[in-house]
Every structure is written in structure tokens, then in C-alpha cells.
Amino acid sequence: MEAFHHAPISFHFPYAFPIPTPTTNFLVTPNSSSINGMINTWMDSRIWSRLPHRLIDRIIAFLPPPAFFRARAVCKRFYGLIYSTHFLELYLQVSPKRNWFIFFKHKVPRNNIYKNMMNSSSTNSGICSVEGYLFDPDNLSWYRLSFALIPQGFSPVSSSGGLICFVSDESGSKNILLCNPLVGSIIPLPPTLRPRLYPSIGLTITNTSIDLAVAGDDLISPYAVKNLTTESFHIDGNGFYSIWGTTSSLPRLCSFESGKMVHVQGRFYCMNFSPFSVLSYDIGTNNWCKIQAPMRRFLRSPSLVEGNGKVVLVAAVEKSKLNVPRSLRLWALQDCGTMWLEIERMPQQLYVQFAEVENGQGFNCVGHGEYVVIMIKNNSDKALLFDFCKKRWIWIPPCPFLGNNSINLDYGGGSSNNYCGEFGVGGGELHGFGYDPRLAAPIGALLDQLTLPFQSFN
């Protein structure tokens, strides 16, 4: 069995996984001759060479991405599997889902309109390579991914089905790219119809359909925005599609945090602020509704995440006027769609440590399957992992790719002369999504069937 060594290595492919360090684990027995006999038997090439290719392909399809790309170095046939239609079809059928995460280092600009005006007046077309940081919660391991094909002026906003969604930063109709960083593919979608500044975007991809919702930040003038409408994009394997043809009105006086949506069981959810509540968008009926948040007057840094197929609200509770200890709690939305049930509370001793590190700066949360990651703002080295199944809290090791020599990228725009270095060393913070790294996404064939004038991003 090979072990990972966390030093990055450069390849010609759009990724950079750690280089393996060969090790061998043996079963210790008192009889050394039996050990030698066992090794000779298991390593006999006459046995392994007779395995059917279909069986070998099925085994390889179960490998996690780092092990798969290492296996490509074994022989020409393994190297070419990523281009084999038969193998990719098998991969889509048997490859297990992995509840991993991908993080990006970026900041949301405070004044997009001003910065976009600066960008439009600049003729410098320099491009920086975008980096993402893949986190495996099962092994607490970090990997680095490259997004060399993403053009300048796009920000990551969501992820689903092995694809990462990038949206254009410039105000106006939004251009959207779906990217698979493991194979370096990019799928452009038609631009939205309504001009927007920095809308909230929800994405869900299955084996037979894709749904995308773009909500809020409608540009009602060149210098003013208002949360008014939602546009939706839908394609499925039955031949039905709606290309931004379905719109709906947002609830009155909604003020949700732009950019964050969570999909659970046919609905998108996002936080509404002042006061805190939860907005829910039903994809099938194209309707919005409000859900009252638990303890809404005493919440700090609330975040919505997906956890084991449920909507989970994560927030710090601070009731200064009541005799209740401060804590970090998790609530799950019940099947009725209106009631919340507290499912977990951070141990008090751990919360004291967390509060000391967090120091009132706030935190961001992202969930995927049985895991929730809590990232402290303005401190990329400190994060907690909660495991729903084991009921365990763990401090995550810091990402080794965020040292002083790492490039800090400004996804939010800014003058193109300073595109790569606006943050400086130590600037920015990690924002991420749940991500299932996959070699192929079946919806690519659905999008290829559309005969639409997709815009070129050359």
C-alpha cells in the first residue's frame, strides 16, 4: 500500500496531487519462510496477468482520485482509461460518492460597480492560474488543484455532481462556466437574461438533470441593486429544458447573503438577514417561502449547510441577558419544513478554545454528507471538522499550500494590473463547497445536445 507525501509535484495534467512514498505493510508472523512464500504467491505475475480487464477496470473505478492518477503511471492502458468511453460509463455506475470539500482563497469586493468600471477601462489581459484546495475529511489530507483554463474575471460560486460553477464578476448578464478540474473540461452555459451584480447561485446536478437558480441583486440602475427576481435553468434527460425562461419574484424585504445556496431534496435554501430567517425556493413549483430560524435574536454567524440529506443551521448562540452559556449549536430542519430540532452542541471546553481563536471575527461553514467544516474568518489555519456519524469534533491540519509563497488570488475583480496580488501575503480567507471529485459528469452529454449560440471566452 502506498502512503501520501504532502509535497506538491507538477504534472502536465490540470492537477497537482502529492507524490507517493512507496511503503510495504506485511502481516507479522513468526515463520519467515511462510512470509516469503506468501509474498511470492501474491506477487506472481502469472496470476495477476490473467485477471480480466473488466475486473481490473472495475477495481480501478473504485479508487479515489489521488490513487487513480498514480495508477495511470503503471502502464499505457491505465494511462488511457480516462479517455475510454467504456471505462467512464463503468465509472459513473460503480464509483462511490465521496463527501470531500474544495476551498478557494478569495474575498468578495466591497464595491463591485466601481471595480468593474476600472476593469472596463483597462486593456491588460493578463491571466493568473486559479488554484483550489481539495480536502479529504476521511484522511484529513489536502491536495492542490489547478484551474488553468478558467479565464480572468470569474469566481467560484457552487459545486455539484463533480462540477464547479464559476460566474462572471462583471455587472450585467451573468456568464456561467461548469468546470471539472480533474480532467480540465469546461462547459459554458448561455448568459442569464437579467442584469445582476452579485447574485446568489444554487446548483444541483444528477445523472439525468441539471438545475441552476440565480437570485437577487437585480440591477435597477447602473448604480443601484435590489432583490427582486429569480431566474432558473433546467435540462433533463427526457428532452425537457428551460433556458432562463422561468422567473419568479423574491419575497418582500428579503436580504440574503449573496452567493450562498444549499440544495436539499428539490429545494434551494439560503439565509435571510435582519432579522435572521431562512428562504426556501421550490424548484418544481418555482415559489419562495420564509422559514423562521430558531433562537433568531441570539444567533451569530449563522450558516446553512447540507448534512446527511437535511438542511442544517450552524450558529453561535449568545444570550447575554439570560443565564445560558454561550455555545455553538446545530439544528436540523424537520420534514414538515417549518420546525427545527437541535441535533448537536459543541462541548463547552472545546467552545472556549474555539471562541478564543475566533475572537468575535465570525466563521463560515460548509457541509457535505456526514461532515461539517467550520472555517474561522481571517484565519485560514484554524478550522474544525464535525462528524455526524461519530459525533466527533476535530481540529483540521492547516492547508500546506497556503504558505508565504502561495499566490493569493482576487476573484472579485480589481484593476487588472494588480489582479494577482491585491490581497498580499496573509490576505483573504478560505471559502468552499462540498465537492465530489469525479472523472466524468453525465450531464455534459445533455448540454452538448443543445444547439445554442454559447458565447466564446477566448
Side-chain angles (χ1 to χ4, degrees), residues 36-357:
N36 295 331
M38 180 181 63
I39 294 176
N40 293 334
T41 302
W42 280 102
M43 300 306 295
D44 191 342
S45 60
R46 292 174 298 177
I47 296 176
W48 292 102
S49 62
R50 296 178 182 177
L51 287 177
H53 285 175
R54 290 181 298 175
L55 176 59
I56 296 176
D57 291 352
R58 194 175 187 89
I59 295 173
I60 294 177
F62 277 89
L63 294 177
F68 172 82
F69 283 103
R70 291 200 306 267
R72 294 185 74 202
V74 172
C75 62
K76 290 183 178 180
R77 184 178 178 276
F78 286 7
Y79 180 86
L81 286 177
I82 199 171
Y83 308 111
S84 169
T85 303
H86 179 270
F87 173 77
L88 293 179
E89 290 177 352
L90 173 66
Y91 178 88
L92 291 173
Q93 295 174 5
V94 304
S95 177
K97 181 180 179 182
R98 292 178 171 85
N99 297 321
W100 290 16
F101 299 87
I102 189 165
F103 294 93
F104 297 88
K105 192 173 184 181
H106 70 107
K107 281 184 177 179
V108 177
R110 296 181 180 178
N111 193 332
N112 271 348
I113 296 180
Y114 172 75
K115 290 192 173 185
N116 288 325
M117 292 173 63
M118 294 293 293
N119 283 338
S120 63
S121 63
S122 175
T123 58
N124 189 342
S125 58
I127 297 177
C128 288
S129 178
V130 178
E131 281 188 350
Y133 308 106
L134 187 62
F135 177 66
D136 173 8
D138 297 312
N139 299 305
L140 300 180
S141 302
W142 290 92
Y143 310 96
R144 180 162 51 189
L145 293 176
S146 173
F147 295 81
L149 299 180
I150 298 297
Q152 178 178 331
F154 280 78
S155 300
V157 293
S158 186
S159 172
S160 181
L163 299 181
I164 298 174
C165 179
F166 287 79
V167 64
S168 58
D169 298 320
E170 291 188 2
S171 58
S173 297
K174 292 299 180 179
N175 295 306
I176 295 174
L177 304 176
L178 300 180
C179 173
N180 185 338
L182 297 189
V183 297
S185 65
I186 292 181
I187 304 173
L189 298 184
T192 60
L193 302 180
R194 292 177 177 267
R196 301 178 187 274
L197 182 58
Y198 190 67
S200 294
I201 296 180
L203 172 70
T204 176
I205 296 175
T206 68
N207 289 339
T208 58
S209 67
I210 172 174
D211 284 281
L212 192 67
V214 179
D217 261 18
D218 301 68
L219 280 168
I220 58 177
S221 78
Y223 304 100
V225 296
K226 193 173 183 179
N227 294 321
L228 296 175
T229 63
T230 303
E231 296 175 83
S232 61
F233 178 98
H234 173 85
I235 299 178
D236 60 40
N238 296 324
F240 177 78
Y241 62 90
S242 174
I243 312 302
W244 308 119
T246 304
T247 60
S248 61
S249 299
L250 291 171
R252 293 181 66 253
L253 303 178
C254 68
S255 176
F256 48 74
E257 182 177 352
S258 296
K260 293 185 178 180
M261 279 195 183
V262 175
H263 176 265
V264 175
Q265 298 181 1
R267 289 176 176 266
F268 288 118
Y269 296 86
C270 56
M271 286 299 304
N272 185 51
F273 292 84
S274 300
F276 290 132
S277 64
V278 176
L279 296 178
S280 171
Y281 174 67
D282 190 316
I283 300 174
T285 62
N286 195 34
N287 289 322
W288 285 88
C289 66
K290 278 188 178 182
I291 304 172
Q292 183 171 328
M295 304 180 69
R296 59 179 182 175
R297 296 182 181 179
F298 310 102
L299 300 182
R300 185 172 64 83
S301 292
S303 295
L304 288 177
V305 302
E306 180 273 332
N308 281 337
K310 289 184 174 292
V311 182
V312 177
L313 175 62
V314 185
V317 175
E318 297 181 350
K319 302 173 68 173
S320 56
K321 296 183 179 180
L322 299 177
N323 189 21
V324 175
R326 297 183 178 184
S327 60
L328 189 144
R329 308 185 189 187
L330 287 75
W331 296 267
L333 184 64
Q334 300 304 290
D335 293 338
C336 63
T338 57
M339 301 296 295
W340 298 87
L341 175 66
E342 182 178 328
I343 58 175
E344 186 64 30
R345 187 179 302 188
M346 182 182 291
Q348 194 62 31
Q349 183 177 0
L350 177 61
Y351 179 76
V352 172
Q353 301 175 12
F354 175 80
E356 182 179 354
V357 175

Side-chain angles (χ1 to χ4, degrees), residues 380-399:
S380 300
D381 292 337
K382 298 295 183 181
L384 276 170
L385 175 71
F386 175 67
D387 187 331
F388 281 104
C389 297
K390 299 179 180 180
K391 299 293 183 181
R392 184 175 61 177
W393 297 85
I394 305 173
W395 285 103
I396 297 176
C399 178

